Each structure stands twice: as C-alpha cells, then as structure tokens.
Amino acid sequence: MTEHPDDPRIARVADLLYEADRTGTAIPPIRTQLPDTDPAAGGYAVQRHNVARWIAEGRRPVGYKIGLTSTAVQRQLGVDRPDFGTLFADMAYADGAEMPFTGLIRPRAEAEVALVLDRDLDLGRHTIADVLRATAFVLPALEIVDSRIADWDIALVDTIADNGSSAAFVLGTVPVSPTAVDLGNCVMTLTRGGEAVSWGTGTDCLGHPLTAAVWLADTLGALGTPLSAGDIVLTGALGRMTALGADDHLTAHITGLGSVGIRTGK
C-alpha cells in the first residue's frame, strides 16, 4: 500500500472521525476527501493516526478485528475484500453484561470466532499451521460494529478509516483448544430476544476462520506491526450483521465453542 504520511488530508479526516466517535454523531462519507491513488492506504493512514492518538490518551490495545470476511456482510455493505481494525481494552464487555446504548449511533452485531494468541506471529508469510501453533485457545465472540459514517453509507475506505467500524466486543468465558473443534464446519446461530436473526458456518468466514487469521498475520507483518502473544483476534462474521437496539438481548451459539451474550441498556 502506498503511504501518505504527510498529506494534510489524512489528519483532517482523522479529526473528523475522532470527533464523530467522541460525540456519537455521524458524519458524511469521507472517501472523496482522501488521496485517490490508493484509497485503502489512505484509509489505513487515517486509522493509524487515530489509533496512535487513542494510545497516547491511555487506551490499551488488546488485538485486532477482521472485518468484511463474510460474503453476506460484503453484499450488505457493497465491498469485496476484508479489512482490519484495532481492539482496545475499554471496548470489551463481560459475557451477559449490560452494554450502554447511549453514545452508539446505528449499531449492528456479528457472531465470530475469537483467537487468543500465546506466541508472536512475525514470520512474514504465514500458514494455518503457524496460526494454530500460536493460538492458546479459541472462544465464541460477539462484535458490536457501529459506523461513524451516516446511514452506513460506506465504501471500503470509509470503514477502514473508521477503525473497521468497530465499537465493542464480548468474549465467551470457556476456552477451547483450537485442535479440539472443527472451526471450518462449526455452525453459528445468533438470536435477538430468543428469535434467530443470523446464522452461518465457519466456511462463511473467508472459507475458514484460520484463513482469515492468516490473512491478518500476513497483512500486519507486511506493515511491520505483527501479531503478538496475548493478542485477541476476532476472525470475522460467520453470518449477516443484525441491527441492535436499546433493551435488546443477543446470544450467539457456535457449535463446539458454546454461547456468548450481551444486553443493551434502554
């Protein structure tokens, strides 16, 4: 990716998204405001600008989310490739906890497989075997996504710049060895208020959740910021995103991994 570190448009767009996140106020799409020679690179430059600002403010990064891994989600949003964003400790909620709805704009939820690493993945090019050896355990997860772009009117560069449209995440609490479950054939059901609203299998995440993790390891390695021991990796949606409102109760069940849930405040 072509870098644009000194382009003033990067800082200007980063400021717009930072304020939108801080105030919970959506803004128009930013895709026309970035360098057009390599839009994805411009989006990641904006993302890094704000990640560095958040870290300077005291937020602690704990891993990464992979986005746009499901063809169903890609069709929902009109994009054709995955992306990633940074997870922070303050984005995590306990299984079954109540998450405040105030401050969210137009949130949606996805059910995913999470990996927790106990080895660095700094090998350049990676294999599924490398990812398996580096993974301490896997967990069921919910990711709450929320676009700072009004009405989810996003192209790929919009969501990349917006830290992958990330908002919050929930991890299950019973760790499972990655060799003890068939992640490719696991079946996911996401319910809202007891009604099934999304479903899919491990193959709906770039063909396999570990394939998505290999993509992330390779991509971050090429950027000089490899995955490290202790990182959480949300490997991507196993089915369609579902809208999330106030006073909702979501539960995701993934075969072999168990269940994870979240409630929203009124």
Side-chain angles (χ1 to χ4, degrees):
M1 292 185 291
T2 305
E3 299 291 336
H4 309 282
D6 300 318
D7 193 312
R9 289 172 291 185
I10 299 300
R12 183 168 63 249
V13 170
D15 286 345
L16 291 173
L17 286 167
Y18 177 87
E19 284 301 308
D21 178 69
R22 187 183 67 82
T23 62
T25 304
I27 61 174
I30 51 81
R31 50 187 173 268
T32 61
Q33 302 184 48
L34 291 173
D36 57 9
T37 53
D38 188 348
Y44 280 119
V46 170
Q47 183 186 131
R48 286 192 296 275
H49 188 100
N50 277 335
V51 166
R53 172 157 39 187
W54 287 321
I55 291 173
E57 291 174 349
R59 298 182 74 185
R60 181 171 70 90
V62 293
Y64 296 89
K65 57 79 53 89
I66 310 173
L68 308 174
T69 56
S70 162
T71 55
V73 173
Q74 289 180 358
R75 286 194 297 269
Q76 275 183 289
L77 298 179
V79 298
D80 61 358
R81 72 188 82 168
D83 70 348
F84 69 85
T86 297
L87 300 175
F88 291 92
D90 56 76
M91 295 166 61
Y93 286 86
D95 184 14
E98 181 174 296
M99 179 183 71
F101 194 74
T102 303
L104 296 172
I105 300 171
R106 197 171 172 182
R108 298 174 176 181
E110 303 173 338
E112 314 189 8
V113 173
L115 313 181
V116 180
L117 306 183
D118 65 357
R119 299 186 189 182
D120 297 345
L121 279 170
D122 54 1
L123 305 174
R125 296 280 296 180
H126 299 81
T127 68
I128 284 177
D130 295 325
V131 172
L132 277 170
R133 282 195 298 266
T135 300
F137 52 87
V138 296
L139 297 166
L142 285 169
E143 184 186 3
I144 310 304
V145 291
D146 195 18
S147 181
R148 269 58 65 173
I149 304 301
D151 300 320
W152 281 92
D153 178 14
I154 61 172
L156 182 66
V157 65
D158 295 295
T159 186
I160 289 174
D162 192 19
N163 196 30
S165 304
S166 59
F169 65 97
V170 189
L171 300 178
T173 57
V174 181
V176 176
S177 167
T179 61
V181 60
D182 183 354
L183 294 176
N185 289 314
C186 66
V187 177
M188 176 279 293
T189 304
L190 177 62
T191 63
R192 183 178 59 217
E195 177 185 358
V197 291
S198 179
W199 43 87
T201 70
T203 59
D204 293 317
C205 178
L206 282 187
H208 197 291
L210 295 178
T211 301
V214 167
W215 173 85
L216 179 66
D218 287 351
T219 301
L220 290 174
L223 292 172
T225 55
L227 287 166
S228 301
D231 278 346
I232 299 164
V233 176
L234 301 184
T235 55
L238 301 178
R240 288 175 61 87
M241 299 184 297
T242 186
L244 183 62
D247 201 24
D248 266 347
H249 184 189
L250 289 179
T251 302
H253 179 78
I254 302 175
T255 55
L257 297 182
S259 299
V260 61
I262 191 74
R263 295 175 290 117
T264 55
K266 296 183 179 181

